[in-house]
Amino acid sequence: MTDVLRIGVVGVGIMGADHAERLARRTAGARLVAVADPDEVRAKELAGRFDGVRSGGDALELIAAEDVDAVILASPGSVHEEQVLACLAAGKPVLCEKPLTMDSESSLRLVQADREVRGRLGRSLVQVGFMRRFDPEYSQLRSVLAGGTLGRTLLLHNVHRNASVPHADFRSEMIVRDSLVHEIDVARFLFGEEVVAIQVMSPAPTTHASPGVVDPQVAIFTMAGGGLVTNEVFVNSQVGYEVRCEAVAERGSVVIGRPSAGLYSATLAADGSGQWGGTVPADYRTRFATAYDLEVQSWVDSALRGESVGPSVWDGYAATAVSSAGMTSLATGERVTVDLVDPLTLSPNASSTKEPS
Amino acid sequence: MTDVLRIGVVGVGIMGADHAERLARRTAGARLVAVADPDEVRAKELAGRFDGVRSGGDALELIAAEDVDAVILASPGSVHEEQVLACLAAGKPVLCEKPLTMDSESSLRLVQADREVRGRLGRSLVQVGFMRRFDPEYSQLRSVLAGGTLGRTLLLHNVHRNASVPHADFRSEMIVRDSLVHEIDVARFLFGEEVVAIQVMSPAPTTHASPGVVDPQVAIFTMAGGGLVTNEVFVNSQVGYEVRCEAVAERGSVVIGRPSAGLYSATLAADGSGQWGGTVPADYRTRFATAYDLEVQSWVDSALRGESVGPSVWDGYAATAVSSAGMTSLATGERVTVDLVDPLTLSPNASSTKEPS
Amino acid sequence: MTDVLRIGVVGVGIMGADHAERLARRTAGARLVAVADPDEVRAKELAGRFDGVRSGGDALELIAAEDVDAVILASPGSVHEEQVLACLAAGKPVLCEKPLTMDSESSLRLVQADREVRGRLGRSLVQVGFMRRFDPEYSQLRSVLAGGTLGRTLLLHNVHRNASVPHADFRSEMIVRDSLVHEIDVARFLFGEEVVAIQVMSPAPTTHASPGVVDPQVAIFTMAGGGLVTNEVFVNSQVGYEVRCEAVAERGSVVIGRPSAGLYSATLAADGSGQWGGTVPADYRTRFATAYDLEVQSWVDSALRGESVGPSVWDGYAATAVSSAGMTSLATGERVTVDLVDPLTLSPNASSTKEPS
Amino acid sequence: MTDVLRIGVVGVGIMGADHAERLARRTAGARLVAVADPDEVRAKELAGRFDGVRSGGDALELIAAEDVDAVILASPGSVHEEQVLACLAAGKPVLCEKPLTMDSESSLRLVQADREVRGRLGRSLVQVGFMRRFDPEYSQLRSVLAGGTLGRTLLLHNVHRNASVPHADFRSEMIVRDSLVHEIDVARFLFGEEVVAIQVMSPAPTTHASPGVVDPQVAIFTMAGGGLVTNEVFVNSQVGYEVRCEAVAERGSVVIGRPSAGLYSATLAADGSGQWGGTVPADYRTRFATAYDLEVQSWVDSALRGESVGPSVWDGYAATAVSSAGMTSLATGERVTVDLVDPLTLSPNASSTKEPS
């Protein structure tokens, strides 16, 4: 491979367009060569923003193309299995947006397929888009906890709020599958342990959610070592994008995600009082801009070196398995046990966050 | 009654001594006249710090004394029932530290006794020492939530940490009964609703707790209207006294209890970096100094006016009932329903935080 | 003297009414007995809010009254000299609001008069109303700096903002005399040294000030030991009351007065973003509520003990001398030296913040 | 020009090595091809960290090399004039670290030379390394102030602290020339006006500075429109790297540079109290990492487009002129007027921050 990685992007929605911009403008060693989407008009519009980028409607064609060295999948989760398998067949590194797939069975199949490839190539080809691991705050928090000066980690408290979500076709399960899944990966990343049980509780919902939608939700994870994680996910909070995490350890706690940008004093009120404060970003692209940049730069760098360093297909499978259990719990209110399976023996596995070997 | 309230303090431990100081030095309209404790030496030592204050060993004698207009009980919860009943019999206002009593049956008996007095005098004589209701931050939070501009309250997230607790004879239940009970009252105060169920979870404990003690604990309250409350109580956090509360409503959230005092930059590290920050107070007397002052001033003012305004004996009973259910849940891990009882009909009551009438 | 201090308040403007409330409702050991103001209607209205408090139009009559043990002067600075002298003649403790007087000559005369009284009674009778010394944050900052762990203090940066001031008859000098005077006392208090020079600079003014008024102002103090103090005073900032102080020492810095109360996230903006923040108090009565309470409680306590502990008449004289120099500097833009005078010898004195003896 | 900019770096000290890393690893469209430094050993060591990068001892040779499209100067200010002129002669874009040159006369010569080039090429070739303009916080602050919702800007308060500086050969003037120069550019950038006068004050110095060195320093800038800027520069603060700026406008103020990363609670003190806080970065490379990345990416992008968008040679000249006046003021303590000169007519110019044309 040369010193430039020629990349195709599959999916041209918000996330795909964002990745295309990133590759074309801000990533060293990357060259965006093609985009593909069933909506060919939109794909063409996106390609037209850059010099020398072609567009098409067929993801598999893009994946197979000779001038495409590596692929970013920003397509819907329901087509990830087929597309990741195509990348594996072509021997091309793929960065697959979360969720890896829509159920744990298909995710497990990808674990098995990637293992087969790894046996041949000596390295994995799949990285899953859990970009928070590249966020400087989450990354620093992990270092602090792993460093051990605060002792063993006991609890996490996660808060995850979106101002609003589209109402059409929105279902309560999506909160678990698309939002809570990030907190699942965060818990695994920070504890360095699997989630062994999940309970999703349904408070009286906000009137800003669609009728029948449970929002906010409160979820409790039990970690393999006995730690607990509390999670609030609230996707119609009306207030911008807020993601916070507090880790509680034996000799101290750490909070990340506090509002941190400029501090304003302004806005004279009628009684002469004023307000201080700052802005809550509108969405995840602002909050995690640096995380996405670092994620993609790291993926490109490791692909050029022939290595594989980011969140693995196992991480994707584990997160899918927990969120599937979470959807069951959402329906019943009961605590549901998560049983990860060794991809070789299909026997239970929950000892660490590493794929058994 | 005159314009000065002559007050006796029962119990001369940390809390009783603190109240005696407060009455003698910082409370307008109050005069400390007597202290009583079975440990007469300590009682005498405390009385000796002030002019014209006598000491004794017998709480009931102090309560009955002619020159005592009102009483603060800072004695152990196990003797509260007898002492509150004595105050009611003497027709004297009493400020009883929490917990009101050790079980919900005895608390209910006090509700019934106070109701009988109220029938005769037209006012209640018992105020329970839930001082957080007088803390400026909790009080302002309640105003904001009740004001309605943020819409209906959906969730609370409470954090309650002590640096450490004495290890001798300490049992896991004390965390529920003595610490979590404050969060129970906070939830009732902020939601304006009863707690109808409680689940207490047991994470893997810190090594700084005594063997066998579950610390930290995570508790979930379900409110009558469907709201949820998450609570962390951690009494060996090694880091000073931290009490925080975040309320999440339909159109915004509010956090109180953030560290707020002076901001330091200091401490050159080996690599040239430094630290910024401030101090976490050692204990509740610092954190809630203003709350205690306002609580006692308000109690004295209302006693002089012949009124009764603070947290009631019903609030004390409700909190005891929830914490009793919490202790059951702590043992089983299961969610336990709380059944408050109408003191007249003994039928279930959970409609609001007011005593049924 | 008994265990209750009977107090008269002279001046029934905002500050006088505030002190009257404080004495009547929140100060242990104090009894408000009389208020006096040339505006007898307003004085009567104020007295009528309390039981057993009389009103009158003559300050000197109030000061002389047999049932008045001590006096708070909340009258205009222009009548302070006469009224303080009357208190000294009557041998009664007086808490005199700042400024002590309108020029340094008259302030020096009060230093001399109080010294004469002190010779006879063994204690001073005058406390000047620099309430910030009682503010928990300023008080803690002073302790930190005096404690020495941060090394010698090098710089202070003060910010002092009011939302607005009445425009009628407002002149630029009032910013120096009535607002900056607090920063002068703060500098002396925190450094433990006299201010030896002052320079007041005139930036292009805000359009919210009256025509011809210099607002904001930037003032630089030189301390006796060579330290420098930068000050912003801005009395039409449109944003509520903000008072901050940063002390820079040899091994660290400390900021006080940061916004600290509840943290809100609210207010959905059109683009989906939100705001976090809190409230800036409308005026000094909110910001320094605790400071005023502690100031008056301390003054009452020390008066009952026959002692004198707060900011002295010397502190009042020194502040007046510096603010007088500041008004000269405001007119010329030049740095003006401050020459304090030993009240006995009338020779220069700038060695410390203590009155020479 | 192609789609890759081949870049040479002159100077391999901390800043040069940092830029080399940035070009080689994190900048899209850039290729590091050569480094040069009189210390050829060090240059070789740096080049050896990357594939295909050569090193040499002669800056002018590097600048003239055929495979070098553009140059970053991280050499000492004393050789900038010659090297910038060489870049102009070769028609190559140059990013010159601050200070542009060591005195205003030489800087003015560069303004004139660049103007001549601009006449021929239609664009400037020189960008000066005032990277703070690319810092997200400074950039956002500029947008807020320029947006006008807060009204006219009245004051800036800047704080600039380094933990320590090397003591050998350090002189007080370096604080003005190397540190304060950033604040000069910030003032011009945020006000959009020239600095017309500067006064540098000398407080009693810290004992951590070398004997004879004035540290900290307090500087006051007067802007062309009458605004004032207060500056603290303290290069032996013992506490890491702190850069803050508060802008005060007619209807509100904005603070940037507050400590913002993770919030810790830790460190049990002997009395049971704890500490909260976070880390102050060790130096400017951490604090302004993003600013440097954005600066260089923007410079590369604009060079590839044949444009010139960053801080200009005029900005470099203006900053040098003000810092020169500042060094005079440091010596005398007096306010010194700054007279910028129109490079064509050599008549005074201070109307805006744009080079007269």
Side-chain angles (χ1 to χ4, degrees):
Chain A
M1 215 170 272
T2 75
D3 62 345
V4 171
L5 193 72
R6 296 168 301 172
I7 302 169
V9 170
V10 176
V12 299
I14 293 177
M15 201 67 242
D18 211 43
H19 278 314
E21 280 283 339
R22 182 172 292 111
L23 291 170
R25 318 264 194 226
R26 297 195 298 274
T27 310
R31 183 175 305 150
L32 176 66
V33 293
V35 299
D37 198 284
D39 182 342
E40 295 194 43
V41 174
R42 212 164 156 193
K44 191 171 180 185
E45 188 279 321
L46 180 62
R49 290 190 220 163
F50 313 104
D51 285 346
V53 175
R54 70 172 183 279
S55 69
D58 187 340
L60 299 182
E61 199 176 295
L62 179 148
I63 292 168
E66 214 167 288
D67 67 344
V68 168
D69 301 321
V71 178
I72 292 184
L73 297 180
S75 47
S78 54
V79 297
H80 282 178
E81 182 179 8
E82 179 185 35
Q83 294 173 354
V84 170
L85 288 173
C87 292
L88 291 177
K92 297 182 181 176
V94 56
L95 174 58
C96 178
E97 273 301 325
K98 56 92 216 168
L100 178 58
T101 67
M102 304 298 269
D103 54 66
S104 53
E105 290 72 22
S106 51
S107 285
L108 186 60
R109 286 194 293 271
L110 292 183
V111 172
Q112 292 165 328
D114 184 61
R115 162 170 293 220
E116 193 275 329
V117 167
R118 210 163 66 228
R120 282 191 288 119
L121 301 188
R123 64 156 171 152
S124 174
L125 290 177
V126 186
Q127 177 170 327
V128 179
F130 289 125
M131 81 294 178
R132 288 201 197 164
R133 295 186 180 216
F134 296 91
D135 175 67
E137 285 192 287
Y138 276 100
S139 166
Q140 190 187 358
L141 175 52
R142 154 101 174 194
S143 297
V144 168
L145 296 177
T149 56
L150 298 183
R152 201 158 45 81
T153 304
L154 301 168
L155 302 172
L156 294 184
H157 300 301
N158 295 322
V159 168
H160 180 134
R161 298 182 192 138
N162 298 72
S164 60
V165 289
H167 278 208
D169 299 323
F170 192 89
R171 287 171 300 108
S172 301
E173 292 74 25
M174 295 180 185
I175 291 180
V176 177
R177 198 185 59 210
D178 296 331
S179 300
L180 187 62
V181 70
H182 280 296
E183 310 307 333
I184 294 169
D185 188 63
V186 159
R188 297 178 67 253
F189 178 60
L190 294 178
F191 268 99
E193 294 172 6
E194 295 294 354
V195 176
V196 297
I198 179 172
Q199 183 173 9
V200 181
M201 300 170 177
S202 301
T206 176
T207 54
H208 295 103
S210 293
V213 168
V214 178
D215 182 38
Q217 298 179 13
V218 170
I220 312 286
F221 307 154
T222 306
M223 307 307 295
L228 286 182
V229 181
T230 70
N231 301 274
E232 173 201 328
V233 188
F234 187 8
V235 300
N236 290 286
S237 74
Q238 313 293 302
V239 190
Y241 187 70
E242 297 180 275
V243 169
R244 284 206 308 271
C245 175
E246 177 166 27
V248 184
E250 292 190 310
R251 287 191 297 277
S253 59
V254 186
V255 178
I256 63 170
R258 297 185 317 132
S260 58
L263 177 72
Y264 298 72
S265 294
T267 317
L268 179 65
D271 69 346
S273 66
Q275 286 199 300
W276 59 269
T279 304
V280 179
D283 66 24
Y284 58 91
R285 285 174 299 169
T286 307
R287 167 65 181 88
F288 287 113
T290 300
Y292 281 114
D293 285 359
L294 293 173
E295 173 195 50
V296 170
Q297 186 71 65
S298 163
W299 175 68
V300 167
D301 293 350
S302 62
L304 287 171
R305 287 196 313 269
E307 295 175 7
S308 163
V309 300
S312 69
V313 67
W314 176 264
D315 294 316
Y317 159 60
T320 302
V322 178
S323 71
S324 294
M327 287 186 275
T328 304
S329 177
L330 174 67
T332 65
E334 299 298 314
R335 186 173 179 273
V336 175
T337 302
V338 180
D339 295 307
L340 296 186
V341 169
D342 181 315
L344 274 190
T345 64
L346 300 184
S347 60
N349 177 273
S351 52
S352 80
T353 56
K354 295 293 168 206
E355 180 182 343
S357 56
Chain B
M1 217 170 270
T2 74
D3 62 345
V4 171
L5 192 72
R6 296 167 302 173
I7 301 169
V9 170
V10 175
V12 299
I14 293 177
M15 201 67 242
D18 211 43
H19 278 313
E21 279 285 338
R22 182 171 292 111
L23 292 171
R25 317 265 193 226
R26 297 197 298 275
T27 310
R31 183 176 302 150
L32 176 66
V33 294
V35 299
D37 198 284
D39 182 340
E40 296 194 42
V41 174
R42 211 164 156 192
K44 191 171 179 184
E45 188 279 320
L46 179 62
R49 291 191 219 162
F50 313 103
D51 284 347
V53 174
R54 71 173 182 278
S55 70
D58 187 341
L60 300 182
E61 198 176 296
L62 177 147
I63 292 168
E66 213 168 291
D67 66 344
V68 169
D69 300 322
V71 178
I72 291 183
L73 297 180
S75 47
S78 54
V79 298
H80 283 177
E81 182 179 8
E82 179 186 34
Q83 293 173 356
V84 169
L85 288 173
C87 292
L88 291 176
K92 296 182 181 177
V94 56
L95 173 59
C96 179
E97 274 301 325
K98 57 90 219 169
L100 178 58
T101 68
M102 304 298 270
D103 55 64
S104 52
E105 291 71 23
S106 51
S107 284
L108 186 61
R109 287 194 292 272
L110 291 183
V111 172
Q112 292 165 328
D114 183 61
R115 163 171 290 221
E116 193 274 330
V117 167
R118 209 164 65 229
R120 282 189 288 117
L121 301 188
R123 65 156 170 151
S124 173
L125 290 177
V126 185
Q127 178 171 325
V128 179
F130 289 125
M131 82 293 178
R132 289 202 198 162
R133 297 186 178 216
F134 296 91
D135 175 66
E137 286 193 285
Y138 277 100
S139 166
Q140 192 188 355
L141 175 53
R142 154 102 176 194
S143 297
V144 168
L145 296 178
T149 56
L150 297 183
R152 202 158 43 84
T153 304
L154 302 169
L155 303 171
L156 294 183
H157 301 300
N158 295 321
V159 167
H160 180 134
R161 297 182 194 139
N162 298 71
S164 60
V165 289
H167 279 208
D169 299 324
F170 191 88
R171 288 171 299 110
S172 302
E173 293 74 25
M174 294 179 184
I175 291 179
V176 177
R177 198 184 60 210
D178 296 333
S179 299
L180 187 62
V181 69
H182 281 296
E183 311 305 335
I184 295 168
D185 189 62
V186 159
R188 298 177 67 253
F189 177 59
L190 293 178
F191 268 99
E193 294 171 6
E194 294 295 354
V195 176
V196 297
I198 179 171
Q199 183 173 9
V200 181
M201 301 170 177
S202 301
T206 177
T207 54
H208 295 104
S210 293
V213 168
V214 178
D215 181 38
Q217 297 179 13
V218 170
I220 311 286
F221 306 155
T222 306
M223 307 306 295
L228 286 182
V229 181
T230 70
N231 301 275
E232 173 201 328
V233 187
F234 188 8
V235 301
N236 289 287
S237 75
Q238 312 295 302
V239 189
Y241 186 70
E242 298 179 274
V243 169
R244 285 206 307 272
C245 175
E246 177 166 23
V248 184
E250 292 190 308
R251 287 191 297 278
S253 59
V254 187
V255 178
I256 63 171
R258 296 185 316 133
S260 58
L263 177 72
Y264 297 73
S265 293
T267 316
L268 180 65
D271 69 346
S273 66
Q275 286 199 299
W276 59 269
T279 304
V280 180
D283 66 24
Y284 59 91
R285 285 174 300 169
T286 308
R287 166 65 181 89
F288 287 114
T290 301
Y292 282 114
D293 285 0
L294 293 174
E295 172 194 53
V296 170
Q297 185 71 65
S298 163
W299 175 68
V300 167
D301 292 349
S302 63
L304 286 171
R305 286 196 313 269
E307 295 175 7
S308 165
V309 299
S312 69
V313 68
W314 175 263
D315 294 315
Y317 159 61
T320 302
V322 177
S323 71
S324 294
M327 287 187 274
T328 303
S329 176
L330 174 66
T332 65
E334 299 298 314
R335 184 171 179 272
V336 175
T337 302
V338 180
D339 295 307
L340 297 186
V341 169
D342 181 315
L344 273 190
T345 64
L346 300 185
S347 59
N349 177 273
S351 52
S352 82
T353 55
K354 294 294 169 205
E355 181 181 342
S357 58
Chain C
M1 216 170 270
T2 74
D3 62 345
V4 171
L5 193 72
R6 296 167 303 173
I7 302 170
V9 171
V10 175
V12 299
I14 293 177
M15 201 67 243
D18 210 44
H19 278 313
E21 280 284 338
R22 182 171 292 111
L23 291 170
R25 318 267 193 224
R26 298 195 297 274
T27 310
R31 182 176 303 150
L32 176 66
V33 294
V35 299
D37 198 284
D39 183 342
E40 295 194 43
V41 174
R42 211 164 155 193
K44 191 171 179 185
E45 188 279 321
L46 180 62
R49 292 190 218 162
F50 313 103
D51 285 346
V53 175
R54 71 174 183 278
S55 70
D58 188 339
L60 299 182
E61 199 175 295
L62 176 147
I63 292 168
E66 214 167 289
D67 66 344
V68 168
D69 300 322
V71 177
I72 292 184
L73 295 181
S75 47
S78 54
V79 297
H80 283 177
E81 182 179 8
E82 178 186 34
Q83 293 172 356
V84 169
L85 288 174
C87 292
L88 291 176
K92 296 182 180 177
V94 57
L95 173 58
C96 178
E97 274 302 326
K98 57 89 218 170
L100 178 58
T101 68
M102 304 298 270
D103 54 65
S104 53
E105 291 72 23
S106 51
S107 284
L108 186 60
R109 286 194 293 271
L110 293 183
V111 172
Q112 292 165 327
D114 183 61
R115 163 170 290 220
E116 193 273 330
V117 167
R118 208 164 66 229
R120 282 189 288 117
L121 301 187
R123 64 156 172 151
S124 173
L125 290 177
V126 185
Q127 178 171 326
V128 179
F130 290 125
M131 82 293 178
R132 288 202 197 163
R133 296 185 178 216
F134 296 91
D135 175 67
E137 286 193 285
Y138 277 100
S139 166
Q140 191 188 357
L141 175 53
R142 153 103 176 193
S143 297
V144 168
L145 296 177
T149 56
L150 297 183
R152 202 158 45 82
T153 304
L154 301 169
L155 302 172
L156 294 183
H157 301 301
N158 295 321
V159 168
H160 180 135
R161 297 182 193 138
N162 298 72
S164 61
V165 290
H167 278 207
D169 299 324
F170 192 87
R171 287 171 300 110
S172 303
E173 292 75 26
M174 294 178 184
I175 291 179
V176 177
R177 198 184 60 211
D178 296 333
S179 299
L180 187 62
V181 69
H182 280 297
E183 310 305 335
I184 295 169
D185 189 62
V186 159
R188 299 177 67 252
F189 177 59
L190 293 179
F191 268 100
E193 294 172 7
E194 294 294 354
V195 176
V196 297
I198 179 170
Q199 184 173 8
V200 181
M201 300 169 177
S202 300
T206 176
T207 54
H208 295 103
S210 294
V213 168
V214 179
D215 181 38
Q217 297 179 14
V218 171
I220 311 286
F221 307 154
T222 307
M223 306 307 295
L228 286 182
V229 181
T230 70
N231 302 274
E232 173 201 328
V233 188
F234 188 7
V235 301
N236 289 286
S237 75
Q238 312 296 301
V239 189
Y241 187 70
E242 297 180 274
V243 169
R244 285 205 307 271
C245 175
E246 177 166 25
V248 184
E250 292 190 308
R251 287 191 297 277
S253 59
V254 187
V255 178
I256 62 171
R258 297 185 316 132
S260 58
L263 177 73
Y264 298 72
S265 294
T267 316
L268 179 65
D271 70 345
S273 66
Q275 286 199 299
W276 59 269
T279 304
V280 179
D283 66 25
Y284 58 92
R285 285 173 299 168
T286 307
R287 166 65 181 88
F288 287 114
T290 300
Y292 281 114
D293 285 359
L294 292 174
E295 172 195 52
V296 170
Q297 185 71 65
S298 163
W299 174 69
V300 166
D301 291 350
S302 63
L304 287 170
R305 288 196 313 268
E307 295 176 6
S308 164
V309 299
S312 69
V313 68
W314 175 263
D315 293 316
Y317 158 61
T320 303
V322 178
S323 71
S324 294
M327 286 187 275
T328 303
S329 177
L330 174 67
T332 65
E334 298 298 315
R335 185 171 179 273
V336 175
T337 303
V338 180
D339 295 307
L340 297 186
V341 169
D342 181 315
L344 273 190
T345 65
L346 300 184
S347 59
N349 177 273
S351 51
S352 81
T353 54
K354 294 294 169 205
E355 180 182 342
S357 57
Chain D
M1 215 169 272
T2 74
D3 62 344
V4 171
L5 193 71
R6 296 168 302 173
I7 302 169
V9 170
V10 176
V12 300
I14 293 177
M15 201 67 243
D18 211 43
H19 278 313
E21 280 282 339
R22 181 171 293 110
L23 291 171
R25 318 265 194 226
R26 297 196 297 274
T27 310
R31 182 176 305 150
L32 176 67
V33 293
V35 300
D37 198 285
D39 183 342
E40 296 193 43
V41 175
R42 210 165 157 194
K44 191 171 180 186
E45 188 278 322
L46 180 62
R49 290 189 220 163
F50 312 104
D51 285 345
V53 174
R54 70 173 184 280
S55 70
D58 187 340
L60 298 182
E61 199 175 295
L62 178 148
I63 292 168
E66 213 168 290
D67 66 344
V68 168
D69 300 322
V71 179
I72 292 183
L73 297 181
S75 47
S78 54
V79 297
H80 282 178
E81 182 179 7
E82 179 186 33
Q83 293 173 354
V84 170
L85 288 173
C87 292
L88 291 177
K92 296 182 181 178
V94 56
L95 173 59
C96 179
E97 274 301 326
K98 56 91 216 169
L100 178 58
T101 67
M102 303 299 269
D103 54 65
S104 53
E105 290 71 22
S106 50
S107 285
L108 186 60
R109 286 194 293 271
L110 292 183
V111 171
Q112 291 165 329
D114 184 61
R115 162 171 292 220
E116 193 275 329
V117 168
R118 209 163 65 228
R120 283 190 287 119
L121 301 188
R123 63 158 171 150
S124 174
L125 290 177
V126 185
Q127 177 170 327
V128 178
F130 289 125
M131 81 295 178
R132 288 202 197 163
R133 295 185 180 216
F134 296 90
D135 175 67
E137 286 192 286
Y138 276 100
S139 166
Q140 191 188 358
L141 175 53
R142 154 101 175 195
S143 298
V144 168
L145 296 178
T149 56
L150 297 183
R152 202 158 45 82
T153 304
L154 301 169
L155 302 172
L156 294 183
H157 301 301
N158 295 321
V159 168
H160 180 134
R161 297 182 193 138
N162 297 72
S164 60
V165 289
H167 277 208
D169 299 324
F170 192 88
R171 288 171 299 109
S172 303
E173 292 74 26
M174 295 180 185
I175 291 179
V176 176
R177 198 185 60 211
D178 296 331
S179 299
L180 187 62
V181 70
H182 280 296
E183 311 305 334
I184 294 169
D185 188 63
V186 159
R188 298 177 66 252
F189 177 60
L190 294 179
F191 268 100
E193 295 172 6
E194 295 293 355
V195 176
V196 296
I198 179 171
Q199 183 173 9
V200 181
M201 300 170 177
S202 301
T206 176
T207 55
H208 295 103
S210 293
V213 168
V214 178
D215 182 38
Q217 298 179 12
V218 170
I220 312 285
F221 307 154
T222 307
M223 306 306 295
L228 286 182
V229 181
T230 70
N231 302 274
E232 173 201 328
V233 188
F234 187 8
V235 301
N236 290 286
S237 75
Q238 312 295 302
V239 189
Y241 187 70
E242 297 180 274
V243 169
R244 284 206 307 270
C245 175
E246 176 166 25
V248 184
E250 292 190 310
R251 287 192 297 276
S253 59
V254 186
V255 178
I256 63 170
R258 297 185 317 132
S260 57
L263 178 73
Y264 298 72
S265 294
T267 316
L268 179 65
D271 69 346
S273 66
Q275 287 200 298
W276 59 268
T279 304
V280 179
D283 66 24
Y284 58 91
R285 284 173 300 168
T286 308
R287 168 65 181 88
F288 287 114
T290 300
Y292 281 114
D293 285 0
L294 293 174
E295 173 195 51
V296 170
Q297 185 70 66
S298 163
W299 175 69
V300 167
D301 292 350
S302 63
L304 286 171
R305 286 196 314 269
E307 295 176 7
S308 162
V309 299
S312 69
V313 68
W314 176 263
D315 293 317
Y317 159 60
T320 303
V322 178
S323 72
S324 294
M327 287 187 274
T328 304
S329 177
L330 174 67
T332 65
E334 299 298 314
R335 186 173 178 271
V336 175
T337 303
V338 180
D339 294 307
L340 297 186
V341 169
D342 180 315
L344 275 189
T345 65
L346 301 183
S347 60
N349 177 272
S351 52
S352 80
T353 55
K354 295 293 168 207
E355 180 181 343
S357 57

